[in-house]
Amino acid sequence: MQTMERLDTPLETADLVSAAQQGDAWAWERLVEEFSPMLKARIRRFRLSHEDAQDVLQTTWMLAWQNLGSVEDGQRMAGWLATIAFRECLKLTKRTREICTPDLDSLGSTDDVDRELARIWLAGTLAELVEELPAAQRVLFRALTETSEPHYVDVARRLGRPVGSIGPTRARCFAKLRGLLQAREITRDFLD
């Protein structure tokens, strides 16, 4: 088992994936460190309990480790991990609904139930659409949505981009998402 040199310069994700595929524990740890915040943010969108969210995160990393050899393009690691987490969240929420069928009277009005179901469906659809964004916009979207009040300076520093590029990239990202939503005939009327 070879070990990557621990350099002060950041390594490309593809290099880390390749090294981890060869059994380099240090490279695997760097991947976990790099992608865990993104995965936690994605899992948090499902509004799971803390324990369930931790279980999904752990299962995601376990499945990623077991299937790491199937990753052909290490640059797509973020999307691959996000897909695993998304599917695990869906499995968990499906199991939970099957186990805990609530009393419909306790859910409130039919409109409240419909709105909640639409919100859950829309969150899943939005996650799919984000995967269709160009890489730069996808990375920025995730960085902006990981916290409730993102600051452009922090996001720019974290992504290694000029602060002045964040706003225009955000605008292009949101315009692209609006177009993707419209292509699926999801309009503001649907959301109201």
Side-chain angles (χ1 to χ4, degrees):
M1 172 175 15
Q2 294 181 345
T3 302
M4 293 185 77
E5 291 183 33
R6 277 76 174 160
L7 304 173
D8 291 332
T9 58
L11 295 168
E12 290 291 322
T13 300
D15 296 332
L16 290 172
V17 170
S18 179
Q21 287 173 328
Q22 300 302 316
D24 186 333
W26 181 85
W28 175 253
E29 289 172 14
R30 296 297 68 75
L31 290 169
V32 171
E33 185 178 293
E34 179 180 344
F35 291 110
S36 283
M38 177 271 296
L39 289 173
K40 288 176 184 177
R42 292 184 72 87
I43 293 166
R44 201 170 32 246
R45 293 180 190 141
F46 276 82
R47 303 202 187 295
L48 303 174
S49 70
H50 176 73
E51 293 79 14
D52 285 344
Q54 291 297 342
D55 287 348
V56 168
L57 181 65
Q58 184 176 12
T59 301
T60 299
W61 283 117
M62 180 192 68
L63 290 170
W65 175 253
Q66 290 173 345
N67 297 288
L68 189 61
S70 69
V71 177
E72 294 176 9
D73 181 359
Q75 293 295 56
R76 300 185 60 109
M77 186 72 170
W80 184 67
L81 288 169
T83 300
I84 294 171
F86 180 76
R87 289 177 180 160
E88 289 304 308
C89 286
L90 287 179
K91 284 182 195 174
L92 180 67
T93 56
K94 183 178 183 227
R95 271 196 316 267
T96 303
R97 278 194 302 268
E98 289 171 354
I99 293 169
C100 305
T101 304
D103 175 14
L104 292 178
D105 294 333
S106 70
L107 292 176
S109 73
T110 302
D111 290 342
D112 292 340
V113 173
D114 288 347
R115 270 193 293 279
E116 181 62 13
L117 290 173
R119 186 195 63 75
I120 292 168
W121 176 82
L122 186 60
T125 301
L126 183 60
E128 291 173 18
L129 295 178
V130 167
E131 293 302 316
E132 295 180 28
L133 293 172
Q137 292 177 12
R138 192 171 51 242
V139 169
L140 178 63
F141 182 86
R142 289 181 182 137
L144 290 171
T145 57
E146 284 178 358
T147 63
S148 59
E149 295 182 28
H151 297 282
Y152 281 10
V153 173
D154 296 333
V155 171
R157 185 177 307 123
R158 199 170 111 223
L159 298 178
R161 296 185 184 165
V163 175
S165 73
I166 301 299
T169 305
R170 177 189 175 277
R172 287 189 298 277
C173 172
F174 282 27
K176 176 79 171 172
L177 279 174
R178 272 192 297 279
L180 292 170
L181 286 167
Q182 288 170 351
R184 292 196 181 189
E185 298 180 358
I186 302 170
T187 63
R188 189 172 296 278
D189 295 339
F190 175 85
L191 303 175
D192 291 335

